[in-house]
Every structure is written in C-alpha cells, then in structure tokens.
Amino acid sequence: MKNRATSLENTGYSGSYDDVNLYWGIDQGGSYACLGQGDHWLDLSIHAEHFDHWGTGNGQPLYNNIASHSWTDSC
C-alpha cells in the first residue's frame, strides 16, 4: 500500500496498541500522523489530513504519501 492510501479506517480492537501512527517515510521514518481506534478519514484527496509531527514530510498531506505504519498505545 506504500503511498497509495486514499481513505483510512482503524477498526482495531480497543486496548493497548489500538492506535496507528502513519509515517511519511519507510521503516517508520519522517513525520507522522496518528489515527485513533475507531476513527476514519474517508477522503484523503481533499488534503484535510496532514503529517503533523516532527521530521521530513511534516505538513505534507496524507493522500498517497503514507509509506509505513506502526501500532501505538495512544495518539
């Protein structure tokens, strides 16, 4: 799915590591955005969601720019 996401939904089980960090770079590198458990972003093409944490890619839209992810304990 590298750099091909147009919408996202987190249907993970509630508990520890139920949120997802979405990274601009491969191997969890660069800036990231966090999608909480139960959340969804339906149309990334409108550029409403951006990478909003430090690193390369900060401020860039998520649309077709997500290169890796990791499960995390909180957003």
Side-chain angles (χ1 to χ4, degrees):
M1 178 176 110
K2 181 180 173 197
N3 296 336
R4 301 194 85 169
T6 58
S7 65
L8 300 166
E9 183 175 12
N10 179 354
T11 59
Y13 294 105
S14 184
S16 60
Y17 295 92
D18 58 0
D19 301 319
V20 182
N21 282 340
L22 308 160
Y23 293 89
W24 183 88
I26 60 171
D27 298 323
Q28 294 82 41
S31 188
Y32 66 94
C34 188
L35 181 63
Q37 193 274 333
D39 288 343
H40 58 275
W41 297 329
L42 296 180
D43 187 0
L44 297 178
S45 70
I46 62 173
H47 302 279
E49 305 297 337
H50 295 81
F51 294 99
D52 55 3
H53 290 83
W54 55 268
T56 303
N58 187 18
Q60 294 294 310
L62 268 63
Y63 178 65
N64 286 340
N65 279 326
I66 300 168
S68 58
H69 75 280
S70 67
W71 291 95
T72 186
D73 206 23
S74 66
C75 281

